[in-house]
Each structure stands twice: as C-alpha cells, then as structure tokens.
Amino acid sequence: MNIQTYEHDVIVVGAGGAGLRAAIEASAAGVSVGLVCKSLLGKAHTVMAEGGIAAALANVDERDNWKVHFADTMRGGQYVNNWRMAQIHAQEAPDRVRELEAWGAVFDRTPDGRILQRNFGGHRYPRLAHVGDRTGLEMIRTLQDHGIHQGIAVYMECTIISLLKDGERVVGALGYYRENGRFVVFHAKAVVLATGGVGKAYKITSNSWEYTGDGHALAYHAGAELQDMEFVQFHPTGMVWPPSVRGILVTEGVRGEGGILLNSEGRRFMFDDIPENYRNQTAKNEEEGFRYCLGDKNANRPPELLTRDHVARCIRREVKEGRGSPHGGVYLDVSWMTKPGAFSKFKDPEFVRSRIKDPVEHIKKKLPSMYHQFKELGGLDITKEPMEVGPTTHYIMGGIRVDPDTQMSRVPGLFACGECACGINGANRLGGNSLSDLLVFGKRAGEFAAKYAKEHSAGRINPQQVEEEMRAALAFLDSPLGQENPFQVQYDLQNVMQDLVGIVRTEAEMVKALERIQELKERAKRSFAPGNREYNPGWHTCLDLRNLLTVSEAITRAAIERRESRGAQFREDYPEKKAEYGNRNTIVSKGPNGEMQFRWEPIPEMPAELKRIIEEMK
Amino acid sequence: MGKVTFRIWRGDKSGGDFKDYQAEISEGMVVLDAVHQIQATQAPDLACRWNCKAGKCGSCSAEVNGKPRLMCMTRMDTLPHDQPVMIQPMKAFPIIRDLVTDVSWNYRVNKLIPPFKPRPPDAPDGTWRMGQEEVDRIQEFRKCIECFLCQNVCHVLREHHRFGQTDEKGQLTSGQGPSEAELFGGPRFMIRVASLEMHPLDTVNRLPLLQKELNIGLCNITKCCTEVCPEHIHITDNGIIPLKERVVDEFYDPLMWAVRKVGEALGVRRRKSLPMVNP
C-alpha cells in the first residue's frame, strides 16, 4: 500500500469548537494527537455562532445554578434528552467557560468586571456568556491559539471519507487532501468525530458547504447507531431577502435584546400562542417583556424568547395564513426602540430610559455583526427598519449515539462529540447550549479517547479496505457511466428534504421522500466530476453527496416512525404530543445487508434526584 | 437582471490565464454566488474556498476588479455590469489552483507568537475582574476573521516578499540583513500581538518578538491593510502604531530605559495599556 500514513494515538476529525477542545484535552493527557479538518483551521462552523455560551455562572442573576439550567434544557428538549448528558452539561459548562477566559477569551463584562450573561430563548435567567454577537469566533480563536501550542499535529483541508476497522474496532481513517487529491491514512488507537451537522441536506440553511453529515455517515457505516435523527432544528430567524442570502442566520440575540416579531398587519403575533408549560415564565405584556430584556429580575421573558421550534412554527403559520412579509417571512424589529416616543407607552418609561441612553448606539453595540450583515448584504439599516426573517435549517439534535460519560459509540475506539453526537438536546436545542455542549463533551471525548488509546495497542489496518475505498472515490473522476452533475443531484436532494421532510411533515410526503432519495442515490452513483484531483469542487461534491444521502434517509425514516409532534418534529397528521413516545428514542443503524434498520430505544429511568429538580422548576 | 461576464483566473502554480463565463444576475447577489453558479453549471472544477457566506469566516478572499475583497460580501450591484468582472486569487501568496492560494505561511507565523499567560486570578474562586472599557480596545482586534486580505495588500509582503526562511528544524525564522530572508509578520499578526500585549490579564512581554522576529520596524504605515479590512479594524492606528511606540520606548529611548530600570528596581509593573484612537 503505497500511500502516505500518519500514526497517532488519537485522531480528531473536525476542528470546530468540539474537535479543538477534544484535541486539547487528549494532548494534555499525554498522547499523540492528530487534528484533521475539512477547511483551514479556524474556519469551522463554530465561527458562525453568535449569541453566546450557556453556562449557569450566576454572574447576572444569582438565582441561577446547574439545576435550573438542567431543568431548562430538559423542558426545551421535551424530556427525550439523555438526562445524564443534560446533567453533566449543566454541571460542567461553567468551568469550561472560565477555562476559556484563562486561555485568553475576552467576554463582555458586568459592571463589577465579571463575565456578562445575556437572555436567550428557553433559559430562565440570563445565562449566555458572550462577546457582542460574535461569540463563536471568540471561542474558536481562543481554542485555536491555545491549541497550536499543545503539540497537536494539524492536517488542514483534509477530508475523511472512511473509517478503517480491525474487527469491531476502529483503528484509523482514510482521507484525501483537497489541495492535490492525494489519499492519506491516519492510523490511530482512537478516533473522535466532531464533524458538526447536516444542514446542506436542505435548501434553506444557515450552514456552510462543509455541513454534509460526514461524521454521522462515517459512524453509521462503521457500525455505530444514529439516534433521534428526526429532530432537525429550524432556526426561526434566517434572512429571507435578497435571495442570495436566504437562510443566513439572524441571531436570537436580536430578540434577547428586545427585538419583536410582527406580521404584515403589525400585530405582535407571538403573544397569541403561548404553550401551557411556559405560561408561568412568559411576560403578560410588552412592557414586562422588554423589562426582562433590560435585566429586570422580576419580569418574565417576552414570547419571542420561547423555544425555537415553537417560534419557527408560529412564523410559518403567519406566512401560510397570508400575514407574511413581501418575501415570505415576518418582520423582526429592533428599530422600534429608536422611534420618538417609543417608551412613552410604558407605565414606567424611566426604567427603560435609564438603561438605554441612545437606542441607536445601543443596538450597534449589542448587535454589531447583525448591523453589518443587514447593511452590507441586505442594504438595510436595522436601527431604522425592521428585518424580514423566516425559518432556516440550523442544527440537528440527532446524531451518533454515545455513552453519556465517555462519549464512546457502540463501536470500540470510536468517539463523537458536538453536533454530530446525540443526547443532550432531546427534541429541541436551546440557543447557547450548543457552544457549551462543544466544550463540555469535546473535553470528555478527548479525555476518554486518550484513556482508551493508552489502554489499547494499535490495531491493524486492512489494506484491502483502503484500496476499495480509494477506488470507489476515484470512480467519480473517470467513470465511463458518469453523466450526472453532482451539484444538480445535491440541489435536487435539498429540494426533496426542504419540501417533504421540512418544518411540517406528513407520512405520505415522507414516504415519497424516501422514494426520491433512492432515485437520487442511483443518480449520485453516476455523478461525474470532470478535471483532475487537484482542488476539484465537483469531485468533493460527489464524495460529500454519499454522506448527505445517508443522513437524509436516516432523518426521513426516523421522522416517519415518530408518529407524534414533539419539539422540532411537527407532524400535520399527528399534531399532538403523545405520552407513549415520551420515553423513547429513535435509532437507525446499518443492517447486515447494507439496508437501514430502525428500532426504538427506551429512555432509562431518571434518578429521583433529577426528577425532583424538574418538578421543583416547573 | 440579465447576464454578466466574469473573467476568472484559471490555472495552477505552473501558470494560467483568464477565462470568461456568463452568469445570470439576480437582486442582492454577491460575487461568490456567481462563482457558485459557474461551478454548478459550467466549470465544476473551478477551485474556490468558502465557508460561511456571511463575512464571518474569512475564507473567500480574492481580488475582484483588482480590489482585495471577500467575495461573499461584494454585492454585484456595487460593480459595473457592462464590462467583465475580473476575479483573481490573492497575489501575495503562492497559487494552489484557480482562486485558491497557499496561506499556510500565516499559520506558521502565528505559531511564533508566545501564547497568552494570565496574571494570577483576582478572586478566590479562580476568576478575574476586568472592566468593559478595558476590554473594548482588544475586542476590536479580536474581531479579526483571518481572511488575510491585509497580509495580501501589505507591500512589505506583496512587493518585498519578507516571508522569512525556514531553518533545518522546519521553524520559520528571520534571516539577517535587508533581504527576502527577512521575516515580516504582517498586519494580521501585529494585530494578534496587539490583542495579547493590550490584554488586561496577560503577563508576557512580546516586544522583543515584535522587534526581532516579526520586524515591526519594516511597516511604514501606509495603511493599505486598514483600508481592506472587512471587519473595519483600525489595524494601523489602534494596533501597529501603539506597538511601534512601545518597541521604540523599550529598545531605543535611553530615558525610558533608565526609568524602566529604576522602576524595575522599585518593583513597578510594566504598563500594559496605552491611549487609543477612538474607533
């Protein structure tokens, strides 16, 4: 086998927040670590995260603690979360945030000089440590600049196409360098997947080209299980106009800072539909909601800060019933606070005025990236005009089923963390819980992968497997049958998922989607990339398509089986939440003949202590 | 809105040429959209880096009509449509293919910078206290998305090729004398050093690094870097000039040298902050 091979104890695939954190931790444990990333270092999707990192530091509201954070996460996830992961996450997030500060991160400050925290959907207290609206950039840069001094070998612009196995165990990975198309083998005792999400399966998405479900698909083919794949988060506020920016994220921080949602009639429709289990925590009127945004501890949050699944559905309803904006969204408005007399309708306008001296400057300071994004891409000044927004595919709660403490999948030596792993979020993720998830479980995955590597010798790589995978990958470049344009196949898949397995789902449509996916699989096999192996995006798309098709099928199969509406899954044919689905997770895995298998996994009984916490916080 | 011609550089390190493509323009479209359209319909092997498409990752840097830009933030309605839109790769870095250049040198420079090392925690729980005004100035530097457009236009790098040399251990170093072996860190890394030097908690002295390894003296403040920064960071005024002053104070001012020595004898801590130009 004449192919470049690198030996490491631990290989981490993906260099966003989770991958970097895993690599740092594994390296600190004294093992040799290779970090493989599809793009340049520091460009991963974590840079797009805007709002903040959720952690119960209790810097802004001393009533906050891990128990409240745990209860919020479970409520947001509609109780199908892995409760152990939700617990670990809530308990360990504060330390992970403080650690970032010790590594040089510069968060916004409270008046007494501590890390400032902001309000976000579904979080009872201000909990998100943040840096304006570019928290993800701060996090990835901090991890990157810390990580490069930890002796980690970084392999940039290198895409993993297959995991290599020795019997049951994962012992390495095969990839190619984008630059020259040459293959490379990473021989490792443990592999950590931290590849992020699947957003590119949908037409309207906030995700970049990298988000093609690589980790999900790699793990699936290596024998791991995928859990809760039906739960795809549609972020309620993506840009809708102009067409070229459709889907780009508008941070929830806009609503956290007092942005309101309006329909074409100027009605603040979020007050019209407040779910029962959130009624006690939601503001009774506009003034109370805004006071909450300004830090009044006696006020409840505005309905715009209900969970993302609910807000996204409300927006869709307004649009469908003819009360949408001209380009098929609704209005998100922060400019209301800059209008003359904006606060005079309140009973206590002085409270607001004492906190916002200059509304225009206030918006620019709190939401600098949003101000620029709309100014430069939308030609709109958010301090003067409302934005047009609509739901966009943002995140997948489902992913590789892992042990909650160690993050190891059922395949020995294969670990997963971050978005590609499953458990903490249940049926819906709260904003801000992703960045903390990356840190908490990235660290754990790194720690336990290093431990596993120390306890095991290197396995044997099967050259035949490598040969087969390479041959299959190269077939797209010189296949005599090749005629399909991979970009077109991807585009068609995105339309299928958007139209048939989107925010509102029915059995009939999803069955149709499965048929279409099978057809697309055949077309994908015949896709052809002219040109050579050097930095050839057509070829890369052919390879990524295989993963996209696998995860699309997994999403669809799981969504069909969950015949109820819960969190991010809304079934028009089963619009109610059903108790019998509240204690189990969907699982898909690869069957003996290569077919996708489905089964239910019961959720283990929650310890009495955690049950009590949930009851107390209701 | 009609078709526009795009004249895109195609080739690799052995050479190349401009090639014309047509793309259909729609409202609000950016240059990167046109490149994607061309990729999907006419040239699937057209190499181009991109990720976020929202000006946040700094991947799609190129020269559009001769101006260094992020393609994802360059709206078509800011360019004339009656003549070809020229797109070519960044000029300061070696070509890989088409619009993709080899920017790995930047990652090697970054590694030369000693990492952040905080003072002991301020509070018994292991945390620190910093005022918002204290962190405002470095938050500006930390907005950097590493698009390397500033490196691309810096004439010390672009025209005088001060990329340093690699020693036998594979380490990037600055050779001696006024030659191309000399290393200049470039605006991006001046800003990165500034973000550390002006960090309220940091304790490391990177002035020797600035003076010797990164050769801050080579910058003669033409401000080209500031002009192209998509994050509107005041690279020169708020970063490089204050750093230059510190280097001068440290190495070239006999009075300051004496004051510092006396200070050190008396146990006075080095000052870590300087006045800042209002952004």
Side-chain angles (χ1 to χ4, degrees):
Chain A
M1 197 170 55
N2 185 20
I3 161 170
Q4 186 164 35
T5 300
Y6 293 100
E7 309 266 344
H8 286 288
D9 293 316
V10 174
I11 278 288
V12 180
V13 184
L20 274 162
R21 190 63 191 82
I24 289 169
E25 195 64 20
S27 186
V31 302
S32 133
V33 180
L35 178 61
V36 185
C37 49
K38 210 167 164 181
S39 285
L40 297 172
L41 190 61
K43 306 295 183 196
H45 222 284
T46 305
V47 298
M48 294 290 285
E50 292 161 353
I53 313 175
L57 297 161
N59 286 357
V60 172
D61 195 318
E62 65 288 352
R63 291 172 295 181
D64 203 11
N65 57 54
W66 78 263
K67 292 175 184 173
V68 191
H69 191 182
F70 166 75
D72 285 351
T73 302
M74 294 297 293
R75 186 187 304 110
Q78 308 263 353
Y79 304 104
V80 291
N81 323 49
N82 180 310
W83 46 260
R84 174 67 184 149
M85 279 175 81
Q87 178 193 14
I88 291 171
H89 167 256
Q91 287 172 330
E92 296 182 1
D95 279 347
R96 296 289 80 77
V97 172
R98 291 189 202 109
E99 188 172 71
L100 283 186
E101 182 152 281
W103 293 346
V106 186
F107 292 103
D108 286 350
R109 316 307 296 180
T110 62
D112 67 348
R114 294 183 296 164
I115 295 173
L116 181 62
Q117 298 181 273
R118 71 156 44 121
N119 289 308
F120 235 56
H123 293 281
R124 177 172 280 200
Y125 302 122
R127 190 176 283 147
L128 270 68
H130 62 278
V131 187
D133 52 7
R134 53 161 194 87
T135 313
L137 175 66
E138 184 70 18
M139 181 165 135
I140 201 165
R141 203 64 84 229
T142 301
L143 292 169
Q144 175 187 348
D145 288 337
H146 181 76
I148 57 171
H149 296 288
Q150 309 306 312
I152 300 161
V154 181
Y155 303 91
M156 295 201 291
E157 297 199 306
C158 181
T159 307
I160 298 297
I161 56 170
S162 183
L163 295 176
L164 304 173
K165 287 183 78 177
D166 180 358
E168 286 304 299
R169 238 185 103 184
V170 163
V171 293
L174 170 70
Y176 67 88
Y177 286 113
R178 302 173 74 72
E179 175 176 345
N180 50 29
R182 286 204 197 110
F183 291 105
V184 53
V185 165
F186 297 97
H187 190 184
K189 296 169 187 166
V191 174
V192 179
L193 295 173
T195 54
V198 307
K200 274 292 155 192
Y202 287 84
K203 186 163 107 184
I204 300 173
T205 175
S206 63
N207 294 176
S208 83
W209 69 272
E210 289 189 293
Y211 261 36
T212 49
D214 295 7
H216 292 81
L218 290 170
Y220 169 85
H221 290 296
E225 293 178 313
L226 301 181
Q227 177 179 321
D228 291 346
M229 291 297 282
E230 70 276 27
F231 296 129
V232 175
Q233 180 166 73
F234 299 93
H235 192 291
T237 58
M239 291 177 82
V240 298
W241 191 258
S244 75
V245 296
R246 188 158 193 149
I248 293 181
L249 192 66
V250 180
T251 176
E252 194 164 313
V254 174
R255 286 169 281 145
E257 299 295 345
I260 59 175
L261 288 166
L262 301 169
N263 64 20
S264 61
E265 296 163 2
R267 185 174 174 79
R268 198 165 162 190
F269 57 88
M270 286 308 298
F271 272 108
D272 298 343
D273 179 7
I274 296 165
E276 196 51 50
N277 59 340
Y278 281 97
R279 192 148 294 163
N280 290 339
Q281 301 180 9
T282 306
K284 300 284 172 287
N285 55 52
E286 299 195 9
E287 180 167 7
E288 184 186 354
F290 194 48
R291 288 178 71 105
Y292 173 90
C293 296
L294 295 176
D296 179 353
K297 289 179 186 166
N298 297 315
N300 282 310
R301 62 178 159 237
E304 277 82 1
L305 292 181
L306 287 162
T307 53
R308 289 175 173 177
D309 52 340
H310 179 74
V311 180
R313 272 195 299 279
C314 289
I315 292 175
R316 188 182 174 276
R317 179 195 65 214
E318 292 302 309
V319 175
K320 202 171 173 199
E321 292 175 7
R323 295 185 296 275
S325 64
H327 304 107
V330 294
Y331 295 107
L332 172 62
D333 190 13
V334 282
S335 71
W336 70 269
M337 59 181 91
T338 69
K339 302 284 152 61
F343 309 135
S344 44
K345 64 183 171 187
F346 295 151
K347 281 196 224 129
D348 181 8
E350 282 318 306
F351 175 85
V352 177
R353 290 194 192 110
S354 69
R355 279 165 172 76
I356 302 183
K357 302 274 183 293
D358 178 345
V360 173
E361 281 312 306
H362 178 80
I363 292 167
K364 287 187 189 168
K365 169 73 192 164
K366 292 288 183 183
L367 304 163
S369 305
M370 286 304 106
Y371 177 76
H372 271 134
Q373 184 172 310
F374 275 90
K375 191 117 196 168
E376 291 179 27
L377 294 175
L380 181 149
D381 182 344
I382 65 169
T383 68
K384 294 201 176 81
E385 289 172 85
M387 304 159 242
E388 267 188 84
V389 296
T392 179
T393 311
H394 184 53
Y395 186 88
I396 185 159
M397 277 67 76
I400 302 159
R401 181 173 154 80
V402 290
D403 177 89
D405 288 87
T406 66
Q407 300 288 294
M408 191 163 93
S409 70
R410 76 169 179 182
V411 181
L414 181 63
F415 297 74
C417 55
E419 188 172 349
C420 74
C422 177
I424 172 191
N425 296 303
N428 174 59
R429 177 176 69 84
L430 298 185
N433 270 1
S434 180
L435 290 188
S436 42
D437 167 24
L438 307 184
L439 295 170
V440 168
F441 294 106
K443 176 188 182 286
R444 280 182 169 261
E447 178 185 338
F448 287 97
K451 184 165 179 281
Y452 183 94
K454 284 178 183 171
E455 289 164 357
H456 293 80
S457 57
R460 199 188 71 91
I461 283 180
N462 175 359
Q464 203 184 333
Q465 189 193 355
V466 175
E467 290 293 338
E468 278 167 22
E469 297 287 353
M470 290 195 298
R471 203 174 314 122
L474 290 175
F476 294 112
L477 285 166
D478 48 26
S479 162
L481 296 170
Q483 55 216 274
E484 290 284 352
N485 175 349
F487 294 101
Q488 188 61 44
V489 180
Q490 185 178 22
Y491 184 74
D492 292 347
L493 173 65
Q494 289 166 340
N495 275 321
V496 168
M497 294 303 285
Q498 188 77 35
D499 296 342
L500 304 178
V501 201
I503 301 183
V504 173
R505 300 166 175 176
T506 65
E507 186 121 2
E509 286 183 341
M510 290 193 285
V511 168
K512 199 153 84 185
L514 277 183
E515 289 166 17
R516 297 290 311 281
I517 290 169
Q518 293 311 322
E519 292 161 22
L520 288 164
K521 274 187 187 170
E522 292 308 312
R523 286 176 59 197
K525 280 182 199 155
R526 298 192 304 269
S527 59
F528 170 56
N532 61 31
R533 285 161 69 174
E534 287 167 21
Y535 223 111
N536 183 341
W539 186 43
H540 306 157
T541 302
C542 291
L543 296 168
D544 291 346
L545 252 180
R546 306 187 295 186
N547 300 332
L548 272 179
L549 285 158
T550 302
V551 294
S552 297
E553 183 180 348
I555 291 167
T556 310
R557 288 196 186 277
I560 289 173
E561 295 293 337
R562 187 172 280 281
R563 291 182 175 85
E564 64 153 355
S565 295
R566 178 183 298 270
Q569 154 112 330
F570 184 75
R571 291 281 302 256
E572 206 162 49
D573 42 359
Y574 301 97
E576 301 301 321
K577 186 155 76 180
K578 292 185 190 165
E580 70 260 35
Y581 285 98
N583 58 3
R584 47 186 170 158
N585 300 115
T586 61
I587 303 280
V588 294
S589 61
K590 192 172 174 176
N593 302 315
E595 78 290 1
M596 197 173 276
Q597 290 179 325
F598 177 86
R599 72 177 180 88
W600 287 101
E601 170 75 22
I603 296 174
E605 184 74 12
M606 197 186 298
E609 184 209 345
L610 295 181
K611 275 188 192 159
R612 203 161 44 238
I613 292 171
I614 287 173
E615 275 311 306
E616 279 167 16
M617 304 289 169
K618 268 203 170 135
Chain B
M1 291 172 75
K3 280 189 188 295
V4 169
T5 302
F6 288 81
R7 189 159 288 170
I8 303 177
W9 195 88
R10 302 292 313 264
D12 54 27
K13 54 179 174 272
S14 64
D17 208 348
F18 286 95
K19 214 174 155 197
D20 283 2
Y21 302 91
Q22 300 264 308
E24 191 73 43
I25 304 303
S26 61
E27 187 178 344
M29 200 161 152
V30 294
V31 170
L32 184 60
D33 291 316
V35 171
H36 284 160
Q37 198 188 107
I38 292 161
Q39 248 178 7
T41 56
Q42 302 163 56
D45 62 342
L46 168 57
C48 154
R49 263 193 199 111
W50 71 286
N51 274 49
C52 76
K53 205 175 167 295
K56 293 198 172 72
C57 76
S59 299
C60 62
S61 306
E63 301 192 3
V64 179
N65 285 349
K67 290 209 176 77
R69 307 289 302 261
L70 293 178
M71 288 190 281
C72 73
M73 296 301 278
T74 306
R75 281 172 63 122
M76 284 305 299
D77 55 18
T78 63
L79 305 171
H81 290 187
D82 54 352
Q83 45 192 299
V85 174
M86 304 270 285
I87 312 177
Q88 51 194 316
M90 288 194 283
K91 279 199 187 122
F93 303 112
I95 293 283
I96 291 178
R97 227 173 86 92
D98 304 339
L99 301 178
V100 177
T101 54
D102 179 356
V103 291
S104 59
W105 175 80
N106 294 286
Y107 290 85
R108 294 161 67 209
V109 176
N110 195 29
K111 248 183 140 160
L112 297 176
I113 301 171
F116 173 74
K117 194 165 167 239
R119 70 185 182 220
D122 300 330
D125 64 354
T127 59
W128 289 270
R129 299 290 178 271
M130 293 182 269
Q132 184 63 45
E133 355 25 276
E134 280 185 279
V135 301
D136 273 343
R137 66 174 349 188
I138 64 163
Q139 283 186 338
E140 183 195 3
F141 306 144
R142 296 182 67 88
K143 287 194 304 190
C144 171
I145 55 174
E146 296 202 325
C147 63
F148 305 128
L149 287 173
C150 60
Q151 306 287 78
N152 178 47
V153 292
C154 172
H155 61 99
V156 183
L157 297 172
R158 190 180 176 110
E159 270 120 49
H160 302 287
H161 311 289
R162 294 300 196 260
F163 291 101
Q165 56 190 20
T166 306
D167 68 14
E168 60 281 3
K169 287 186 208 138
Q171 180 91 7
L172 193 62
T173 62
S174 186
Q176 293 304 306
S179 71
E180 291 187 5
E182 200 169 42
L183 174 70
F184 178 59
R188 159 58 191 142
F189 297 103
M190 298 302 156
I191 282 299
R192 166 131 158 75
V193 173
S195 79
L196 289 162
E197 279 296 287
M198 299 180 199
H199 195 303
L201 306 184
D202 183 66
T203 57
V204 180
N205 178 9
R206 297 177 192 78
L207 297 182
L209 171 91
L210 282 174
Q211 191 223 8
K212 295 196 192 81
E213 281 88 356
L214 302 185
N215 277 307
I216 189 170
L218 290 176
C219 166
N220 54 6
I221 319 183
T222 53
K223 299 196 184 185
C224 310
C225 50
T226 305
E227 270 169 42
V228 298
C229 177
E231 287 292 314
H232 310 292
I233 300 170
H234 297 78
I235 300 175
T236 331
D237 289 346
N238 287 349
I240 297 179
I241 292 173
L243 288 180
K244 275 176 170 277
E245 287 171 354
R246 287 182 183 204
V247 169
V248 169
D249 281 359
E250 180 95 3
F251 298 104
Y252 305 106
D253 184 337
L255 188 63
M256 283 304 293
W257 180 86
V259 168
R260 206 169 47 244
K261 282 293 161 196
V262 173
E264 275 167 18
L266 295 172
V268 178
R269 238 183 24 204
R270 285 180 61 242
R271 98 187 142 151
K272 291 286 286 186
S273 58
L274 277 168
M276 156 183 168
V277 178
N278 208 9

